[in-house]
PDB file of all heavy atoms in Angstrom:
ATOM      1  N   GLY A  15     150.158  29.490 138.906  1.00 46.00           N
ATOM      2  CA  GLY A  15     150.903  30.033 140.026  1.00 46.00           C
ATOM      3  C   GLY A  15     151.812  28.988 140.615  1.00 46.00           C
ATOM      4  O   GLY A  15     151.781  27.822 140.237  1.00 46.00           O
ATOM      5  N   SER A  16     152.626  29.413 141.560  1.00 43.00           N
ATOM      6  CA  SER A  16     153.525  28.489 142.217  1.00 43.00           C
ATOM      7  C   SER A  16     153.373  28.647 143.706  1.00 43.00           C
ATOM      8  O   SER A  16     153.426  29.742 144.231  1.00 43.00           O
ATOM      9  CB  SER A  16     154.972  28.797 141.812  1.00 43.00           C
ATOM     10  OG  SER A  16     155.848  27.895 142.446  1.00 43.00           O
ATOM     11  N   LYS A  17     153.120  27.526 144.398  1.00 44.00           N
ATOM     12  CA  LYS A  17     152.858  27.594 145.825  1.00 44.00           C
ATOM     13  C   LYS A  17     153.241  26.264 146.455  1.00 44.00           C
ATOM     14  O   LYS A  17     153.113  25.216 145.840  1.00 44.00           O
ATOM     15  CB  LYS A  17     151.373  27.915 146.068  1.00 44.00           C
ATOM     16  CG  LYS A  17     151.071  28.449 147.462  1.00 44.00           C
ATOM     17  CD  LYS A  17     149.629  28.914 147.497  1.00 44.00           C
ATOM     18  CE  LYS A  17     149.230  29.377 148.892  1.00 44.00           C
ATOM     19  NZ  LYS A  17     149.920  30.566 149.299  1.00 44.00           N
ATOM     20  N   GLU A  18     153.723  26.323 147.704  1.00 45.00           N
ATOM     21  CA  GLU A  18     154.141  25.090 148.365  1.00 45.00           C
ATOM     22  C   GLU A  18     152.974  24.143 148.559  1.00 45.00           C
ATOM     23  O   GLU A  18     153.082  22.953 148.356  1.00 45.00           O
ATOM     24  CB  GLU A  18     154.767  25.434 149.729  1.00 45.00           C
ATOM     25  CG  GLU A  18     156.038  26.264 149.637  1.00 45.00           C
ATOM     26  CD  GLU A  18     157.180  25.505 149.003  1.00 45.00           C
ATOM     27  OE1 GLU A  18     157.069  24.279 148.876  1.00 45.00           O
ATOM     28  OE2 GLU A  18     158.180  26.138 148.627  1.00 45.00           O
ATOM     29  N   ALA A  19     151.837  24.643 148.977  1.00 47.00           N
ATOM     30  CA  ALA A  19     150.654  23.820 149.194  1.00 47.00           C
ATOM     31  C   ALA A  19     149.618  24.170 148.144  1.00 47.00           C
ATOM     32  O   ALA A  19     149.703  25.188 147.474  1.00 47.00           O
ATOM     33  CB  ALA A  19     150.096  24.061 150.595  1.00 47.00           C
ATOM     34  N   SER A  20     148.608  23.306 148.030  1.00 55.00           N
ATOM     35  CA  SER A  20     147.606  23.507 146.992  1.00 55.00           C
ATOM     36  C   SER A  20     146.452  24.365 147.490  1.00 55.00           C
ATOM     37  O   SER A  20     145.292  24.037 147.279  1.00 55.00           O
ATOM     38  CB  SER A  20     147.084  22.148 146.509  1.00 55.00           C
ATOM     39  OG  SER A  20     146.548  21.415 147.608  1.00 55.00           O
ATOM     40  N   THR A  21     146.735  25.456 148.168  1.00 59.00           N
ATOM     41  CA  THR A  21     145.709  26.396 148.585  1.00 59.00           C
ATOM     42  C   THR A  21     145.127  27.068 147.355  1.00 59.00           C
ATOM     43  O   THR A  21     145.872  27.580 146.526  1.00 59.00           O
ATOM     44  CB  THR A  21     146.297  27.471 149.512  1.00 59.00           C
ATOM     45  OG1 THR A  21     146.880  26.831 150.629  1.00 59.00           O
ATOM     46  CG2 THR A  21     145.218  28.431 149.978  1.00 59.00           C
ATOM     47  N   PRO A  22     143.773  27.080 147.206  1.00 61.00           N
ATOM     48  CA  PRO A  22     143.193  27.695 146.012  1.00 61.00           C
ATOM     49  C   PRO A  22     143.517  29.190 145.952  1.00 61.00           C
ATOM     50  O   PRO A  22     143.552  29.875 146.971  1.00 61.00           O
ATOM     51  CB  PRO A  22     141.687  27.476 146.210  1.00 61.00           C
ATOM     52  CG  PRO A  22     141.558  26.426 147.249  1.00 61.00           C
ATOM     53  CD  PRO A  22     142.770  26.527 148.111  1.00 61.00           C
ATOM     54  N   LYS A  23     143.755  29.673 144.749  1.00 70.00           N
ATOM     55  CA  LYS A  23     143.964  31.097 144.520  1.00 70.00           C
ATOM     56  C   LYS A  23     143.089  31.550 143.372  1.00 70.00           C
ATOM     57  O   LYS A  23     142.868  30.815 142.418  1.00 70.00           O
ATOM     58  CB  LYS A  23     145.433  31.386 144.170  1.00 70.00           C
ATOM     59  CG  LYS A  23     146.337  31.660 145.346  1.00 70.00           C
ATOM     60  CD  LYS A  23     147.674  32.179 144.846  1.00 70.00           C
ATOM     61  CE  LYS A  23     148.576  32.572 146.003  1.00 70.00           C
ATOM     62  NZ  LYS A  23     149.853  33.155 145.516  1.00 70.00           N
ATOM     63  N   VAL A  24     142.597  32.767 143.479  1.00 72.00           N
ATOM     64  CA  VAL A  24     141.764  33.348 142.426  1.00 72.00           C
ATOM     65  C   VAL A  24     142.297  34.726 142.098  1.00 72.00           C
ATOM     66  O   VAL A  24     142.610  35.513 142.994  1.00 72.00           O
ATOM     67  CB  VAL A  24     140.286  33.452 142.880  1.00 72.00           C
ATOM     68  CG1 VAL A  24     139.486  34.286 141.900  1.00 72.00           C
ATOM     69  CG2 VAL A  24     139.673  32.069 143.005  1.00 72.00           C
ATOM     70  N   ILE A  25     142.412  35.026 140.819  1.00 75.00           N
ATOM     71  CA  ILE A  25     142.761  36.372 140.380  1.00 75.00           C
ATOM     72  C   ILE A  25     141.468  37.133 140.120  1.00 75.00           C
ATOM     73  O   ILE A  25     140.616  36.665 139.356  1.00 75.00           O
ATOM     74  CB  ILE A  25     143.608  36.339 139.098  1.00 75.00           C
ATOM     75  CG1 ILE A  25     144.946  35.645 139.367  1.00 75.00           C
ATOM     76  CG2 ILE A  25     143.847  37.747 138.567  1.00 75.00           C
ATOM     77  CD1 ILE A  25     145.783  35.467 138.131  1.00 75.00           C
ATOM     78  N   VAL A  26     141.303  38.279 140.750  1.00 75.00           N
ATOM     79  CA  VAL A  26     140.133  39.124 140.496  1.00 75.00           C
ATOM     80  C   VAL A  26     140.584  40.284 139.616  1.00 75.00           C
ATOM     81  O   VAL A  26     141.570  40.954 139.897  1.00 75.00           O
ATOM     82  CB  VAL A  26     139.494  39.617 141.808  1.00 75.00           C
ATOM     83  CG1 VAL A  26     138.816  38.467 142.527  1.00 75.00           C
ATOM     84  CG2 VAL A  26     140.528  40.245 142.735  1.00 75.00           C
ATOM     85  N   THR A  27     139.855  40.521 138.539  1.00 72.00           N
ATOM     86  CA  THR A  27     140.375  41.356 137.459  1.00 72.00           C
ATOM     87  C   THR A  27     139.635  42.673 137.265  1.00 72.00           C
ATOM     88  O   THR A  27     139.931  43.402 136.315  1.00 72.00           O
ATOM     89  CB  THR A  27     140.351  40.577 136.135  1.00 72.00           C
ATOM     90  OG1 THR A  27     138.998  40.197 135.832  1.00 72.00           O
ATOM     91  CG2 THR A  27     141.212  39.336 136.218  1.00 72.00           C
ATOM     92  N   ARG A  28     138.668  42.990 138.151  1.00 71.00           N
ATOM     93  CA  ARG A  28     138.016  44.300 138.026  1.00 71.00           C
ATOM     94  C   ARG A  28     138.977  45.394 138.487  1.00 71.00           C
ATOM     95  O   ARG A  28     140.055  45.114 138.992  1.00 71.00           O
ATOM     96  CB  ARG A  28     136.726  44.337 138.846  1.00 71.00           C
ATOM     97  CG  ARG A  28     135.661  43.364 138.386  1.00 71.00           C
ATOM     98  CD  ARG A  28     134.404  43.513 139.217  1.00 71.00           C
ATOM     99  NE  ARG A  28     133.737  44.780 138.949  1.00 71.00           N
ATOM    100  CZ  ARG A  28     132.807  45.299 139.738  1.00 71.00           C
ATOM    101  NH1 ARG A  28     132.466  44.694 140.864  1.00 71.00           N
ATOM    102  NH2 ARG A  28     132.236  46.444 139.433  1.00 71.00           N
ATOM    103  N   GLU A  29     138.530  46.652 138.339  1.00 68.00           N
ATOM    104  CA  GLU A  29     139.363  47.776 138.742  1.00 68.00           C
ATOM    105  C   GLU A  29     139.683  47.719 140.236  1.00 68.00           C
ATOM    106  O   GLU A  29     138.906  47.184 141.033  1.00 68.00           O
ATOM    107  CB  GLU A  29     138.650  49.097 138.445  1.00 68.00           C
ATOM    108  CG  GLU A  29     138.504  49.407 136.967  1.00 68.00           C
ATOM    109  CD  GLU A  29     137.749  50.694 136.742  1.00 68.00           C
ATOM    110  OE1 GLU A  29     136.529  50.697 136.965  1.00 68.00           O
ATOM    111  OE2 GLU A  29     138.355  51.696 136.366  1.00 68.00           O
ATOM    112  N   PHE A  30     140.818  48.295 140.636  1.00 68.00           N
ATOM    113  CA  PHE A  30     141.162  48.395 142.044  1.00 68.00           C
ATOM    114  C   PHE A  30     140.036  49.098 142.797  1.00 68.00           C
ATOM    115  O   PHE A  30     139.475  50.087 142.339  1.00 68.00           O
ATOM    116  CB  PHE A  30     142.468  49.187 142.237  1.00 68.00           C
ATOM    117  CG  PHE A  30     143.705  48.385 142.014  1.00 68.00           C
ATOM    118  CD1 PHE A  30     144.599  48.743 141.020  1.00 68.00           C
ATOM    119  CD2 PHE A  30     143.979  47.269 142.789  1.00 68.00           C
ATOM    120  CE1 PHE A  30     145.761  48.005 140.803  1.00 68.00           C
ATOM    121  CE2 PHE A  30     145.131  46.521 142.589  1.00 68.00           C
ATOM    122  CZ  PHE A  30     146.022  46.892 141.596  1.00 68.00           C
ATOM    123  N   GLY A  31     139.704  48.547 143.972  1.00 68.00           N
ATOM    124  CA  GLY A  31     138.668  49.147 144.796  1.00 68.00           C
ATOM    125  C   GLY A  31     137.287  48.582 144.550  1.00 68.00           C
ATOM    126  O   GLY A  31     136.349  48.900 145.300  1.00 68.00           O
TER     127      GLY A  31
END
Side-chain angles (χ1 to χ4, degrees):
S16 180
K17 199 172 176 67
E18 296 293 346
S20 57
T21 302
K23 271 191 175 183
V24 169
I25 296 175
V26 289
T27 60
R28 297 182 69 196
E29 291 178 288
F30 279 119

